[in-house]
Amino acid sequence: APPDFSGTWNMVSNENFDRYMQSLGIDMITRNLAKLIKPQKIIEQNGDSFVIRTLSSLRNYRVQFTLGEEFDEDTKGLDNRKCKTLVTLDNGRLVCVQKGEKKNRGWIHWINGDDLHLELTCEDQVCKQLYRRVQENH
Ligand code: VLZ
């Protein structure tokens, strides 16, 4: 069975984020602020449908998609570009390709226990982020 990505996840580490943001053309002031924050991911998964929210004091970003269905993504508040975006599941990994102005752009999520991994790619830069599951109170 594929993993369930649903839940609340807090960032614990973030490698090469500055160079990833640089490859997206994010200005230095924004990059220096963004480096200081540890965002939270809130993921809602219902079958093939997903909502991923990236929350922080600096910016909030929300993306909604169905696996296998290409959609128009507007990265408003991030680098403000339009992409043709497709997300699929590949061996338990959520694989996103963001076709647009930037070459080789996308991201991959996967779960290992209570760890949520995220690799963000743009051009020749790969940013590796780790998030940890926030325990629900029953
Ligand atoms: O997450 O693609 O979970 O959308 C940050 C650059 C890019 C701009 C973050 C910094 C991309 C501005 C997050 C301040 C935050 C992302 C996907 C996978 C879902």
Side-chain angles (χ1 to χ4, degrees):
D4 187 0
F5 290 87
S6 295
T8 301
W9 309 82
N10 286 346
M11 179 181 273
V12 294
S13 65
N14 191 0
E15 284 174 36
N16 205 40
F17 188 44
D18 192 59
R19 297 220 284 182
Y20 170 75
M21 289 189 289
Q22 259 180 272
S23 70
L24 287 172
I26 309 280
D27 66 86
M28 193 180 12
I29 292 171
T30 304
R31 292 202 313 273
N32 285 340
L33 292 170
K35 276 188 288 187
L36 300 174
I37 54 172
K38 293 200 183 296
Q40 191 172 58
K41 293 279 182 192
I42 299 182
I43 304 179
E44 295 169 44
Q45 177 179 1
N46 290 98
D48 283 355
S49 295
F50 289 76
V51 177
I52 302 181
R53 287 189 180 79
T54 306
L55 303 180
S56 75
S57 51
L58 185 58
R59 299 286 156 76
N60 294 323
Y61 186 70
R62 177 188 186 277
V63 67
Q64 178 166 20
F65 56 85
T66 301
L67 295 178
E69 293 184 8
E70 191 177 70
F71 64 100
D72 294 309
E73 182 175 13
D74 183 346
T75 62
K76 202 168 167 59
L78 304 179
D79 63 313
N80 302 303
R81 284 192 176 84
K82 306 281 167 68
C83 300
K84 296 279 182 194
T85 300
L86 176 66
V87 186
T88 54
L89 253 189
D90 178 17
N91 285 306
R93 292 177 165 215
L94 210 50
V95 177
C96 174
V97 175
Q98 294 167 309
K99 274 194 294 176
E101 187 186 341
K102 290 292 174 181
K103 299 299 172 208
N104 193 35
R105 180 173 184 174
W107 51 258
I108 304 177
H109 269 298
W110 70 94
I111 290 175
N112 187 206
D114 280 339
D115 290 344
L116 174 72
H117 293 263
L118 173 60
E119 275 189 16
L120 296 154
T121 300
C122 182
E123 298 174 333
D124 60 345
Q125 297 302 322
V126 182
C127 169
K128 297 184 184 193
Q129 300 186 342
L130 179 62
Y131 294 80
R132 199 146 291 144
R133 190 184 283 284
V134 175
Q135 290 309 133
E136 297 172 65
N137 290 307
H138 291 282

